[in-house]
Amino acid sequence: MSDIVFDIRDLVKDFDGLKAVNGASTTIKRGEAVFIVGPSGSGKSTFLRCLILLETPDDGDIIFDGKSILDGRIKLNKFRQKVGMVFQHFNLFPNLTIRENITLAPVKTRQMTLTQAREKADALLKRIGLYEKRHAYPAQLSGGQKQRVAIVRALAMNPEVLLFDEPTSALDPEMVGEVLSLMKELASEGMTMVVVTHEIGFAAEVADRLIFMDHGKIVAEGPVKAIMENPDNERIKEFFSKVL
């Protein structure tokens, strides 16, 4: 099995003449925590959504585990079993209990029996301290609790990669820490993660590598220290001078 999970080549996503992603190329290695930072509107979330084909790229290629996911022959549901995504606004089903939210996908995709999926869900809920909430509904949880459930829902599919799109931006400040703590734990366990975030301090602490985007382009990427403390690009210097 290759060390490279994602190989992104000259990716372009155009919205009515505006190139939200403009020729972005990079690789994501297995076990790596890659954080994507940059100003609002720089294409970070669109780039991430392209990786799981929630947005269809207009040009370029995305190679996952050695195979293009854009050649038309890919079974999209099978691919998405291997790549989980955590959204800003949780996307939990309001009419399902917490346990049902977690068991739905593994059972629907026949990855697990209902009994197996419940056992997995209960183990994950115990891990995040929410086992007693398994029969509750999303509306009965705090924002931080909902986001932790959304993360373990993605984990229930045993994905190779987890994508996070601004996972704390919809949370009240006092709830951010509990979500970041879980993400930090996953990174330390070697989960391959690609994280779009404005939490620059957290990125500095956890990231193996930073990608800086601006105007749809990957302007720089590399070790955290090099990008944040010694950038050779004026736009990056300006950005970090305002956010640090």
Side-chain angles (χ1 to χ4, degrees):
M1 192 176 284
S2 169
D3 280 348
I4 295 175
V5 184
F6 272 112
D7 183 0
I8 300 110
R9 304 174 181 175
D10 302 314
L11 201 65
V12 174
K13 179 59 188 176
D14 189 288
F15 293 109
D16 297 325
L18 173 67
K19 284 187 168 58
V21 181
N22 189 6
S25 298
T26 191
T27 57
I28 309 296
K29 292 181 180 176
R30 204 171 300 281
E32 196 176 30
V34 177
F35 281 62
I36 305 174
V37 300
S40 296
S42 59
K44 305 183 298 294
S45 290
T46 302
F47 175 81
L48 197 74
R49 290 170 66 84
C50 284
L51 296 190
I52 199 167
L53 296 184
L54 291 175
E55 300 289 355
T56 304
D58 295 298
D59 204 355
D61 205 355
I62 301 170
I63 312 297
F64 176 78
D65 279 350
K67 295 178 182 177
S68 172
I69 65 172
L70 301 177
D71 70 358
R73 290 175 293 179
I74 184 175
K75 289 184 170 62
L76 193 55
N77 287 339
K78 286 284 186 187
F79 163 67
R80 285 183 177 157
Q81 289 175 32
K82 298 178 181 179
V83 182
M85 185 152 182
V86 179
F87 300 87
Q88 292 181 37
H89 296 287
F90 329 126
N91 288 13
L92 298 175
F93 294 105
N95 59 322
L96 299 181
T97 67
I98 299 311
R99 184 204 255 169
E100 287 168 344
N101 264 280
I102 297 169
T103 59
L104 182 65
V107 173
K108 282 276 190 186
T109 59
R110 299 184 179 177
Q111 202 178 88
M112 301 176 196
T113 65
L114 180 58
T115 299
Q116 290 170 331
R118 283 177 174 167
E119 287 175 356
K120 177 89 172 179
D122 289 352
L124 288 167
L125 287 169
K126 285 174 183 175
R127 173 179 178 168
I128 62 170
L130 291 176
Y131 176 69
E132 73 282 358
K133 301 283 191 182
R134 65 195 182 281
H135 299 308
Y137 289 87
Q140 297 171 284
L141 271 58
S142 70
Q145 289 173 330
K146 288 177 193 173
Q147 193 60 293
R148 283 185 288 151
V149 169
I151 293 171
V152 299
R153 178 180 62 177
L155 287 173
M157 293 294 290
N158 299 315
E160 290 185 36
V161 185
L162 274 184
L163 310 178
F164 294 84
D165 186 14
E166 302 274 14
T168 60
S169 66
L171 299 179
D172 292 333
E174 68 268 22
M175 296 175 184
V176 169
E178 61 196 65
V179 174
L180 297 185
S181 177
L182 176 57
M183 291 174 65
K184 185 177 180 180
E185 193 177 304
L186 293 173
S188 71
E189 293 169 359
M191 171 61 72
T192 308
M193 299 164 56
V194 186
V195 184
V196 169
T197 186
H198 285 297
E199 298 282 347
I200 303 301
F202 179 64
E205 184 181 356
V206 177
D208 295 308
R209 183 159 52 94
L210 275 188
I211 291 176
F212 186 93
M213 289 189 71
D214 194 29
H215 295 296
K217 295 179 179 291
I218 293 177
V219 179
E221 61 179 310
V224 175
K225 205 173 181 73
I227 301 297
M228 292 181 67
E229 296 181 14
N230 302 298
D232 55 8
N233 178 292
E234 286 303 317
R235 180 69 186 93
I236 299 175
K237 285 181 184 176
E238 179 191 2
F239 175 81
F240 284 118
S241 72
K242 291 178 179 176
V243 299
L244 292 177

